[in-house]
Amino acid sequence: MIIEIENLKKSFKDVKAVDEISFNVREGELFAFLGVNGAGKSTTINIISGILAKDGGTVKICGNNIETDADRIKSEIGIVFQGSVLDKKMSAYDNLKSRAGLYGIFGKAFKARLEELTALLDLKDILKRPVNKLSGGQKRRIDIARALFHNPKVLILDEPTTGLDPKTRITVWSVVEKLRKEQGLTVFLTTHYMEEAATADYVVILDGGKKVAEGTPHDLKTAYASDFIKLYKHIDEAEKYFAALGLNVKRERDFVEIELNSTAQVGQFFADKPEFFEDFEVLKGNMDNVFLKVTGKDLKEVRND
């Protein structure tokens, strides 16, 4: 395991921000760490990266203990924070040069690494521009280059694509997948986009500082997510019929949606009420459904809290 967290605790006065959580991250995997704002995600990241001291528990990164090998751990981690940490008055180039200097990367080594990242993230046309003149997507590419400059083994992405346009989101993820495939980079992700979490190798969900669910996306969907039928004909009759069966029914303007107890029910309902199925679709449960079922919260609705 490249990240090992055991019984991690952190409180702020009477608030238990992180309440004895444990999890492991395998080398080279995409690990998704989910929760609404205040669930404990950022606190955990700040502890892992050495920004914040823990109250209890064990943190190991690449086999190194955070209490005794903090400097070594920092050299193995790159972080892309939710908010940009670039100096807005400096050029993108000077921001990267300054960051590289903290890791002893100078001269030819700096130029060589800069060329690699410029090609990877398409930075050529923006390096000399002041950061405050860059778009949000351009700043994000520089943030990622900054985090990758010292070739970390673990890349922490704290809501990296929030607020970005679709093209930049695609660019970010193509870079991440390229590095995972070619260099075995481990990616620790927090996100409010469930379609990103659905591509993860493993997921941990936090709520109120506690771990409330974990597993592969497939296992979580199997355990927590329901399938649905959407019916577009005979809406009034279908709504009454399925509600009378005790099923969860949601009525919209041009369809009625029924939450299934099992996918096998579709066949039964089709046989019993074929007239309802003139126009329909079956929707598989997704990670949004998982999150709502586990936490009682809709992550899409709290995304901007």
Side-chain angles (χ1 to χ4, degrees), residues 92-102 105-107 110 114 149:
Y93 175 91
D94 287 337
N95 267 278
L96 295 178
K97 188 174 182 180
S98 174
R99 182 65 176 178
L102 295 177
I105 305 172
F106 303 101
F110 168 74
L114 182 62
F149 219 97

Side-chain angles (χ1 to χ4, degrees), residues 42-254:
S42 294
T43 300
T44 302
I45 287 174
N46 287 338
I47 292 171
I48 290 174
S49 57
I51 296 173
L52 190 65
K54 59 184 174 62
D55 292 340
T58 304
V59 176
K60 290 184 179 180
I61 312 293
C62 302
N64 301 306
N65 193 302
I66 193 73
E67 293 183 355
T68 57
D69 301 300
D71 289 341
R72 185 175 297 177
I73 287 175
K74 289 178 182 178
S75 71
E76 304 285 15
I77 292 176
I79 308 176
V80 178
F81 293 98
Q82 182 178 356
S84 178
V85 294
L86 301 173
D87 188 319
K88 296 178 176 59
K89 295 182 180 180
M90 294 171 60
S91 69
Y93 175 91
D94 287 337
N95 267 278
L96 295 178
K97 188 174 182 180
S98 174
R99 182 65 176 178
L102 295 177
Y103 291 95
I105 305 172
F106 303 101
K108 292 181 179 179
F110 168 74
K111 290 181 179 179
R113 184 59 174 155
L114 182 62
E115 287 180 3
E116 292 174 355
L117 292 172
T118 296
L120 182 68
L121 290 158
D122 191 20
L123 305 178
K124 184 177 180 180
D125 294 335
I126 62 176
L127 283 176
K128 296 299 184 180
R129 295 170 61 184
V131 168
N132 59 9
K133 299 296 183 181
L134 300 179
S135 69
Q138 291 168 335
K139 289 176 185 177
R140 184 52 88 209
R141 282 186 277 149
I142 299 297
D143 278 320
I144 294 172
R146 178 184 181 275
L148 291 173
F149 219 97
H150 60 296
N151 274 309
K153 293 182 179 179
V154 178
L155 179 63
I156 297 176
L157 300 175
D158 190 5
E159 298 182 24
T161 59
T162 298
L164 297 185
D165 61 274
K167 181 179 179 181
T168 304
R169 287 181 67 191
I170 291 171
T171 298
V172 168
W173 281 110
S174 65
V175 168
V176 168
E177 287 307 306
K178 179 179 176 66
L179 293 173
R180 288 185 63 215
K181 182 178 180 179
E182 296 180 0
Q183 300 181 18
L185 181 69
T186 302
V187 178
F188 187 105
L189 169 73
T190 76
T191 182
H192 280 148
Y193 295 105
M194 289 296 98
E195 64 269 27
E196 294 179 348
T199 67
D201 298 299
Y202 202 79
V203 177
V204 164
I205 300 177
L206 296 185
D207 190 29
K210 292 181 176 292
K211 182 177 69 175
V212 292
E214 67 177 313
T216 67
H218 177 269
D219 289 344
L220 288 172
K221 286 185 284 187
T222 299
Y224 298 105
S226 301
D227 294 337
F228 299 84
I229 309 172
K230 271 188 178 181
L231 302 174
Y232 296 92
K233 299 289 186 180
H234 308 288
I235 295 173
D236 293 333
E237 297 92 332
E239 180 183 16
K240 294 176 183 177
Y241 177 80
F242 289 108
L245 294 178
L247 297 173
N248 290 326
V249 178
K250 182 174 73 173
R251 170 68 182 271
E252 299 293 348
R253 179 185 292 270
D254 61 345

